């Protein structure tokens, strides 16, 4: 899991990348990604058992899951859509409930890796958590040739900021 196109999402909403609103949106999305990942890990544990060593540190692992769930409350609710924040809280409630019941299949469920070149193949306007560095990008292809990639989010962002045609 990762942040493919997070920068474009913020741009489309007309949110400054380095703003309280942008950080709150990213926090809510991160909570959903990670909470859902751990809930899925618990579902897998139900089927095939928890990871080796889970029972040895069950208390510590579930404490970490609980702390993540509690941290969702630290996201400023005035800066994030209610349904987004509610979804984040639900993901962590489910992860904790299922984890307590079945354990976790994965000691770590997410890694925030850069999406890089694969983001372009996924038709993303931004390559991950980074803001867009250019409205037009040139990508040199391994097999030869070049690719010109034009950011398609800009018109939507300008409209959301109140600009007319």
């Amino acid at each position: 899991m990762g942040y493919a196109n997070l920068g474009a999402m913020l741009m489309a909403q007309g949110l400054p990348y380095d703003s309280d609103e942008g950080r709150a949106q990213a926090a809510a999305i991160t909570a959903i990604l990670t909470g859902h990942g751990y809930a899925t890990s618990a579902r897998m544990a139900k089927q095939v058992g928890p990871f080796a060593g889970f029972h040895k540190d069950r208390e510590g692992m579930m404490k970490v899951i609980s702390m993540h769930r509690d941290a969702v409350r630290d996201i400023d609710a005035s800066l994030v859509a209610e349904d987004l924040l509610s979804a984040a809280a639900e993901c962590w409630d489910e992860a904790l409930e299922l984890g307590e019941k079945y354990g976790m299949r994965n000691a770590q469920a997410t890694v925030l890796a850069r999406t890089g070149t694969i983001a372009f193949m996924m038709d993303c306007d931004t390559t991950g958590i980074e803001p867009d560095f250019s409205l037009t990008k040139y990508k040199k292809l391994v097999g030869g040739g070049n690719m010109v990639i034009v950011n398609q989010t800009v018109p939507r962002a300008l409209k959301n900021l109140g600009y007319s045609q």
Side-chain angles (χ1 to χ4, degrees):
M1 289 191 271
Y3 288 121
N5 232 16
L6 178 66
M9 183 201 75
L10 295 175
M11 184 189 298
Q13 293 177 1
L15 295 176
Y17 186 83
D18 187 21
S19 66
D20 290 339
E21 293 87 353
R23 284 186 290 276
Q25 286 277 6
I29 288 169
T30 302
I32 291 169
L33 284 171
T34 311
H36 187 71
Y38 277 108
T40 300
S41 179
R43 284 189 198 91
M44 289 170 59
K46 177 183 179 183
Q47 298 299 316
V48 295
F51 67 86
F54 173 79
H55 294 295
K56 188 172 164 182
D57 192 29
R58 176 188 183 88
E59 185 179 331
M61 178 76 183
M62 296 318 300
K63 182 178 179 182
V64 168
I65 299 297
S66 180
M67 289 167 63
H68 279 290
R69 182 195 63 178
D70 295 345
V72 172
R73 292 187 216 126
D74 294 336
I75 301 170
D76 188 337
S78 69
L79 303 176
V80 179
E82 185 179 330
D83 57 343
L84 188 64
L85 199 52
S86 175
E90 287 172 22
C91 285
W92 281 105
D93 286 344
E94 185 177 34
L96 184 62
E97 180 184 329
L98 292 172
E100 290 285 358
K101 204 176 210 179
Y102 307 114
M104 294 288 171
R105 181 65 189 162
N106 308 87
Q108 182 174 335
T110 58
V111 135
L112 296 179
R114 298 177 303 130
T115 52
T117 303
I118 191 71
F120 297 126
M121 299 303 118
M122 294 166 45
D123 200 28
C124 296
D125 284 324
T126 59
T127 60
I129 195 167
E130 308 89 6
D132 203 12
F133 63 88
S134 177
L135 299 182
T136 304
K137 296 165 227 41
Y138 300 89
K139 178 72 179 157
K140 189 174 184 176
L141 303 174
V142 175
N146 294 300
M147 199 171 153
V148 178
I149 303 160
V150 179
N151 187 313
Q152 300 297 308
T153 304
V154 173
R156 194 170 19 154
L158 291 172
K159 183 178 178 190
N160 283 337
L161 289 169
Y163 288 89
S164 67
Q165 199 61 11

